[in-house]
Amino acid sequence: MPAPAPDSRAAAAPASAPVLLGALALWLLATLGLRPLLLPDEGRYAEVARAMWHGDWLVPTLNGLPFFHKPPLFYWLDIAALQLLGVHEFAGRFGSAVGAWLMGAALFLAMRRWHGARTAALALGVLATTPFFFVGSQYANHDMLVGGLITAAVLAMARAVDEPPRVDLRWLVAGWLLCAFAVLAKGLIGIVLPALVIGPWLLAQGRWRQVLGLLHPLGLLVFAVVGLPWFIVMQQRYPGFFDYFVMEQHFRRFAQSTFNNVHGPWFFLAVLPLATLPWSAWTPVALKRAWADRSPTTLLYAWWVVAIVGFFSIPSSKLVGYALPALAPWCALLALAVAAGTGRAWRVVMGVAALACVAIVGFAAWKAPQSNQALAQVLRTAMQPADRVVMVDEYFYDVPFYARLARPVVIAADWADPEIPRRDNWRKEVFDAARFDPPLARQLLRPLTELDRMACGTSATWFIVSAGHADRVSGLPGASRAFADKRTELWRVPGRVCP
């Protein structure tokens, strides 16, 4: 796949790579901290990062208990932002913005080499103003980070083999390094998905020698040195780690239908075009052009989309964010169709799409669904260092983050319920984490029947309860309501001596 001649219209690109990529960074960061954390994902992951920042930087914890749903790279990036900015929503979403910028930068640099500067700049504009991309960059979870790293890994590997039969060792090592980071971002898909894209694409062209060349010992060594140590350390500290993280969170989650968000095989076929409006209006032209062209790069983009969508269509549990690793090649196909046209309608579309991106984030900031920021601010102001916090039959993910709680809270619930391990919700998350530190779990996870006993002691106890269930705590001796909104209530119970 020799590098094509530069686009004859390359001079039409008005800005250099540093300017465009700098503008992308500003575009992603400008609105990053303008709205409260959404629940449950943003509250969960931002608080895990904050807890690691104040505790053990190696072990993610949920309410003080080891939390191994995801590896630590997202949290480490957020910790870096917390170090600079303190506890702020911007810091909680920083890992997602990094992943988005990496996706945009990798796509731009690859397309500049293969299609010329003008087309690359247009592709970057299409990607940056796609609502799926922009909203993903502003949402605190692991999907955008792993999507950006997988995108960069695939394009680095493709760059390593784009002058057959040679394999460029520098780009190959970069690809393996990015795969290692992707594994640290979300697990085995960080290596499985790049292999699923690059391997069959090369084999379909009869380039099996280059497939073997991708397994260069230096690349494998870099992957092992960067990607494996954290997992080895966690297995040494917590003997059940491998079974939980690898077997349950990967294989059993992929194969079983007991998790949330069950959808049919059609799900991503509908989601990807809808989530990439208005640019997906060019889909018929893009598909027709790709079929007529069938160059190695076009085939790479097409197979890449098919492989990712096909892979994530197999399990019954499906989330929109799973399609993010397919977003860059999808936007590449759309951008090639836009660039091949003669009109300038795309300029209007890009402006409208950019406004739509900002409007979506603005709407989320206005609505701030489920945010407990106001309650947490009252708690932070009123509570004393020795006071305790008890959450009643609910874990309010964002309260520890906004209240800057120094210690884990007590969670009162029916922990003996045999259905907890079978339902994919907050109870199962905490219940699963408890297995890695049973002594601490016995202190923090208490039955609802002990609410009265939890208020014993010399310090006050603060109870957080869902609206409509305040009767569980309102009758405790000395209980007074400190805050209430349509979702939650905060009650203070003074300390007392108990038999």
Side-chain angles (χ1 to χ4, degrees):
M1 187 177 69
D7 193 320
S8 61
R9 295 172 291 180
S16 64
V19 172
L20 287 173
L21 298 183
L24 176 64
L26 291 175
W27 169 242
L28 297 174
L29 298 177
T31 56
L32 201 62
L34 295 185
R35 58 180 178 81
L37 299 172
L38 303 186
L39 298 179
D41 284 2
E42 291 201 303
R44 178 196 302 117
Y45 296 127
E47 171 55 19
V48 170
R50 188 192 72 93
M52 291 177 71
W53 179 42
H54 288 296
D56 188 335
W57 286 33
L58 281 179
V59 184
T61 57
L62 181 67
N63 195 46
L65 300 169
F67 180 62
F68 294 130
H69 272 220
K70 305 291 186 296
L73 184 59
F74 179 88
Y75 308 128
W76 288 342
L77 290 169
D78 279 6
I79 288 171
L82 287 165
Q83 285 279 81
L84 292 174
L85 303 173
V87 180
H88 192 276
E89 295 92 346
F90 185 104
R93 300 184 180 109
F94 183 68
S96 298
V98 170
W101 185 88
L102 187 60
M103 181 185 291
L107 180 65
F108 170 77
L109 294 175
M111 293 196 72
R112 186 178 64 170
R113 173 177 173 81
W114 295 331
H115 305 287
R118 176 183 178 274
T119 302
L122 183 56
L124 182 61
V126 169
L127 179 68
T129 58
T130 294
F132 190 23
F133 173 82
F134 186 74
V135 173
S137 75
Q138 310 286 297
Y139 190 72
N141 73 6
H142 300 253
D143 291 337
M144 180 55 85
L145 179 59
V146 75
L149 287 164
I150 288 173
T151 297
V154 169
L155 292 173
M157 294 282 192
R159 174 68 178 82
V161 297
D162 75 351
E163 295 181 3
R166 177 172 172 263
V167 176
D168 189 317
L169 187 57
R170 296 168 301 175
W171 284 101
L172 178 62
V173 169
W176 278 107
L177 178 62
L178 289 161
C179 286
F181 285 136
V183 169
L184 284 170
K186 208 176 176 183
L188 295 181
I189 63 167
I191 182 62
V192 170
L193 295 185
L196 185 62
V197 173
I198 291 294
W201 172 65
L202 288 174
L203 290 174
Q205 300 172 70
R207 295 157 64 180
W208 60 270
R209 292 184 183 275
Q210 286 188 303
V211 174
L212 296 177
L214 294 177
L215 303 177
H216 192 284
L218 182 58
L220 298 176
L221 177 63
V222 167
F223 175 82
V225 168
V226 174
L228 299 184
W230 181 81
F231 298 94
I232 295 171
V233 171
M234 291 302 101
Q235 177 62 26
Q236 290 174 338
R237 288 196 190 183
Y238 304 96
F241 169 80
F242 179 86
D243 178 73
Y244 180 75
F245 180 77
V246 177
M247 302 307 296
E248 180 164 341
Q249 291 300 314
H250 286 75
F251 294 103
R252 288 195 284 272
R253 191 177 185 95
F254 192 85
Q256 294 178 1
S257 59
T258 56
F259 294 94
N260 288 338
N261 307 294
V262 173
H263 299 285
W266 53 266
F267 182 71
F268 291 113
L269 297 177
V271 161
L272 196 57
L274 288 174
T276 53
L277 286 169
W279 295 111
S280 56
W282 272 268
T283 297
V285 178
L287 295 179
K288 181 179 179 181
R289 184 191 176 282
W291 179 256
D293 180 15
R294 282 178 278 183
S295 65
T297 51
T298 301
L299 291 175
L300 171 63
Y301 304 143
W303 166 245
W304 187 344
V305 174
V306 170
I308 301 299
V309 169
F311 180 86
F312 284 117
S313 294
I314 296 172
S316 58
S317 178
K318 300 176 180 68
L319 292 172
V320 173
Y322 293 173
L324 282 170
L327 183 57
W330 177 249
C331 286
L333 291 171
L334 295 175
L336 289 171
V338 173
T342 57
R344 290 292 182 265
W346 64 266
R347 296 179 184 271
V348 176
V349 172
M350 189 171 292
V352 171
L355 289 174
C357 290
V358 176
I360 291 171
V361 173
F363 180 79
W366 174 49
K367 286 294 186 181
Q370 304 181 25
S371 175
N372 295 300
Q373 185 177 19
L375 181 148
Q377 289 173 343
V378 171
L379 178 62
R380 182 187 177 195
T381 301
M383 73 178 295
Q384 299 300 310
D387 290 355
R388 296 179 298 274
V389 177
V390 178
M391 296 184 180
V392 182
D393 210 23
E394 183 72 57
Y395 186 67
F396 302 94
Y397 289 101
D398 57 344
V399 169
F401 183 89
Y402 283 122
R404 316 291 200 265
L405 297 184
R407 298 189 308 274
V409 304
V410 173
I411 308 175
D414 182 11
W415 296 111
D417 183 355
E419 290 298 312
I420 288 179
R422 303 186 184 100
R423 296 177 180 174
D424 193 19
N425 55 26
W426 70 268
R427 288 180 177 83
K428 186 178 188 303
E429 289 179 355
V430 177
F431 186 85
D432 286 352
R435 75 175 72 172
F436 296 103
D437 194 343
L440 180 59
R442 283 192 290 271
Q443 299 176 37
L444 299 178
L445 309 185
R446 307 278 291 278
L448 287 166
T449 55
E450 295 183 3
L451 286 178
D452 183 66
R453 300 287 302 175
M454 294 176 200
C456 296
T458 58
S459 302
T461 302
W462 298 84
F463 290 90
I464 306 175
V465 61
S466 298
H469 294 89
D471 57 318
R472 288 173 166 170
V473 297
S474 60
L476 297 177
S480 60
R481 188 166 61 185
F483 175 88
D485 61 16
K486 63 181 180 180
R487 294 192 62 256
T488 52
E489 296 188 16
L490 175 66
W491 287 76
R492 182 183 184 274
V493 177
R496 71 180 192 276
V497 177
C498 298

